[in-house]
Amino acid sequence: MDLGSILSSIGGSDALTDAASQAGIAPDQAQSVLQGVMEHATSGGVPEEMVDAVAGKTGLDPAQIQAFLPQVMPLLQGHADATGDQGGLGGLLGSVGGLLGGGGGGGLAGLAAGLFGDKG
């Protein structure tokens, strides 16, 4: 998974600006959050520590990070679909989805499962 390619593809998009707006953060902060999330996940960081780690790097409130993640998940999935990088981004999406959705298939975990076609 090429983080630079993902960041340049998603980072300059109107969709990221919209996702940031929905989460109540500035577009430049959204890029920083997206980069922090991806770096944390790809470096083997503990999923349960992701929100606090990214909040610490960006200076944003953890609640803002958590509100942004469900907004950016479809953008990451769109990038994975366009580039065929289901494998690399699948782990990231699963990590974030498991973190925020808990058990039971609700929340972001349900979204991540739905994006990958897992209805079970």
Side-chain angles (χ1 to χ4, degrees):
M1 173 171 52
D2 178 12
L3 295 181
S5 170
I6 296 167
L7 289 171
S8 68
S9 172
I10 296 172
S13 72
D14 290 338
L16 184 67
T17 301
D18 292 342
S21 175
Q22 290 178 20
I25 61 176
D28 62 324
Q29 292 172 318
Q31 287 186 340
S32 295
V33 171
L34 178 61
Q35 182 173 352
V37 166
M38 292 174 25
E39 287 174 352
H40 185 86
T42 58
S43 71
V46 177
E48 292 80 8
E49 297 172 0
M50 181 184 304
V51 171
D52 288 334
V54 173
K57 282 185 173 181
T58 61
L60 293 171
D61 185 276
Q64 290 176 297
I65 306 296
Q66 206 149 0
F68 177 70
L69 291 176
Q71 306 302 324
V72 77
M73 293 291 281
L75 302 179
L76 290 170
Q77 181 59 50
H79 180 82
D81 289 345
T83 62
D85 188 16
Q86 291 294 326
L89 283 174
L92 172 64
L93 291 167
S95 174
V96 174
L99 167 66
L100 297 179
L108 197 52
L111 172 63
L115 291 171
F116 287 105
D118 178 10
K119 308 298 182 201

